[in-house]
Amino acid sequence: MCRGGGGGGGECSGGTLSAAALLARRRSIPTTLLLLCAYVVYLLLGSAAFWAMEGPVERSTALRLLQQKWELLENHTCLDGEALERLAERIVQAYKNGLILKGNASLGRWDFVGSFFFSVSAVTTIGYGNLSPSTVSAQVFCIFFALFGIPLNLVLLNRIGQLMLSGVQQCACHLGNKFNWQKGAAVLTRTCALVAGLLLFLLLPPLLFTAIEGWTYEQGFYYSFITLATIGFGDYVIGMNPDRTYPAWYKNIVSLWILFGMAWLALIINLCISLLENSSDLCQCCKRNSREVEQELIDGNQNTSLGPEDEPSCNVKATKPVGPN
C-alpha cells in the first residue's frame, strides 16, 4: 500500500527512519548500562584483590610499628609520648615538603634539577605526591603553571604521537611499494614499532633504574608503567635515596623518557580504545546488516511476485476470492 502512492511512500519511509533511529537509541541505553556494570564489576574485583593482598601486610606493619614505639618508650622512660608523636608528624611533613633528615644534616630536593623534575610531574599530571610546594605563593603559582602547562603538554604529546604514527606509516608505505606487499608491510612495521616501543620505554629503562636506584627489575618495570600511565602513586620515585649519589644527567634523561614514553603509551591506549569501540560497532553493524539483508530478501520476493511475467498468476490469485462471491 505504501508503494502505491508517491506521497504515501515518502511518509512511510520517513516513519521507518524515525523508528529505526528510535530503536538504535533504545539499544544504546542497554549497551551503556552493560558497559557501566562491567566497569563497576572490574573496579570491585580490583578492590577485592588489593584488599586481600595488601590488607594483611598493612596490619602487620602497623602492629610492628606500634610495638617498636612502645618498646622505645619503655626503654627510654625520659621520653614523652606526646612529644614523640609531634616529632614524628613533623618529620613526615618535612619529608612531604622535600626535606630529608640524615644525621645532623638535611638534604633538600628543591634544587634546580629537582624543581625541573617536579615541573615535569606537574604538567604531565603524574603527581607523585612525594614533593609538593609548601608556601602559599608557590601553591598559587603551581595552579596557574599547571593550568597552562597541562594543555601545552597534551598538545605536545599529540604532536609527538602523530610524528611517531606518520613515521610508521611512511615506513610501511616505503616497504609496501618496494616489495609490492602493502598489507604485510603495514603489519610488519606496526609490529616492529610496538616491539621497539616496549623495549625503549618499558623493558630497558628498568635496567637503568636497577643500576642507579638499586631497585629490582620488577620494581623498575612497575615504576616505568605507573609513571608513563600518569598514575604516579609515589611509592617509587627516582633520586630519593639519600645514601646514593646521582649523576647530573639522570633526571633530565628520565624527563625525556617520560615525555616520549607517554606519547607512545597514549598511542597504545588509543589503539585499545578504538579496538574496543570498533568491536561493539562491528557487532551492531553485523546485526544491522543481517536485518537489512532479510528486509531486502523480503522486498525482493514481493517485487518478484509483482513482476510482469507473473501478472497472469497474480490475476488468477486476484480472481479467486471473487468467484464464490
Side-chain angles (χ1 to χ4, degrees):
M1 299 293 294
C2 292
R3 294 186 182 87
E11 294 176 359
C12 193
S13 62
T16 305
L17 289 176
S18 61
L22 184 61
L23 183 61
R25 184 177 300 175
R26 288 178 180 177
R27 286 178 176 173
S28 65
I29 295 176
T31 304
T32 305
L33 292 177
L34 182 62
L35 182 61
L36 178 61
C37 291
Y39 180 74
V40 173
V41 170
Y42 188 79
L43 291 179
L44 292 176
L45 290 176
S47 303
F50 290 125
W51 175 60
M53 290 185 289
E54 293 292 333
V57 178
E58 180 189 27
R59 289 189 290 270
S60 63
T61 303
L63 291 176
R64 186 168 59 252
L65 184 60
L66 288 175
Q67 184 179 1
Q68 292 176 356
K69 171 188 172 182
W70 292 117
E71 289 178 354
L72 178 64
L73 292 176
E74 289 178 358
N75 296 331
H76 302 80
T77 56
C78 60
L79 291 177
D80 185 8
E82 295 182 357
L84 184 62
E85 291 286 346
R86 290 194 297 268
L87 178 61
E89 292 177 357
R90 291 174 182 173
I91 291 175
V92 172
Q93 186 63 36
Y95 181 80
K96 290 182 178 180
N97 293 334
L99 187 63
I100 300 176
L101 300 178
K102 183 180 179 182
N104 295 325
S106 62
L107 302 177
R109 291 175 297 184
W110 281 108
D111 54 358
F112 186 79
V113 177
S115 301
F116 178 77
F117 191 73
F118 171 78
S119 302
V120 172
S121 65
V123 298
T124 55
T125 68
I126 296 175
Y128 290 112
N130 67 308
L131 190 63
S132 59
S134 58
T135 61
V136 177
S137 58
Q139 291 173 353
V140 173
F141 175 77
C142 184
I143 293 174
F144 290 98
F145 178 75
L147 183 64
F148 294 98
I150 292 174
L152 179 62
N153 177 73
L154 293 177
V155 171
L156 180 61
L157 290 181
N158 187 27
R159 184 61 57 87
I160 293 175
Q162 290 178 356
L163 290 176
M164 291 180 178
L165 186 60
S166 64
V168 173
Q169 291 176 350
Q170 288 179 1
C171 291
C173 183
H174 178 72
L175 292 177
N177 294 332
K178 185 175 182 179
F179 298 101
N180 196 15
W181 191 39
Q182 297 292 339
K183 294 184 178 180
V187 173
L188 180 61
T189 52
R190 290 176 182 177
T191 304
C192 292
L194 178 62
V195 173
L198 286 174
L199 288 174
L200 290 176
F201 302 119
L202 285 179
L203 298 179
L204 292 180
L207 297 177
L208 177 65
F209 301 140
T210 301
I212 297 181
E213 299 288 346
W215 299 339
T216 63
Y217 183 84
E218 291 79 10
Q219 292 172 342
F221 184 82
Y222 167 78
Y223 167 78
S224 300
F225 180 80
I226 293 300
T227 296
L228 297 184
T230 68
I231 299 173
F233 290 122
D235 47 355
Y236 291 96
V237 184
I238 64 168
M240 293 291 297
N241 193 347
D243 297 328
R244 290 182 173 269
T245 302
Y246 297 99
W249 51 265
Y250 179 52
K251 287 190 176 181
N252 297 328
I253 292 297
V254 173
S255 299
L256 291 177
W257 164 75
I258 290 175
L259 183 62
F260 287 94
M262 285 179 59
W264 173 80
L265 192 61
L267 285 177
I268 301 300
I269 293 176
N270 289 332
L271 177 61
C272 295
I273 292 174
S274 63
L275 289 176
L276 291 175
E277 291 180 347
N278 291 334
S279 63
S280 60
D281 293 340
L282 181 61
C283 295
Q284 295 178 359
C285 183
C286 291
K287 294 179 181 178
R288 187 162 53 249
N289 289 337
S290 63
R291 291 194 299 268
E292 291 177 356
V293 169
E294 292 177 358
Q295 187 65 33
E296 288 178 358
L297 290 175
I298 294 174
D299 295 341
N301 292 332
Q302 292 177 356
N303 293 331
T304 304
S305 62
L306 295 176
E309 64 275 13
D310 293 337
E311 188 172 357
S313 62
C314 290
N315 293 333
V316 172
K317 291 179 182 178
T319 54
K320 278 184 181 180
V322 179
N325 293 333

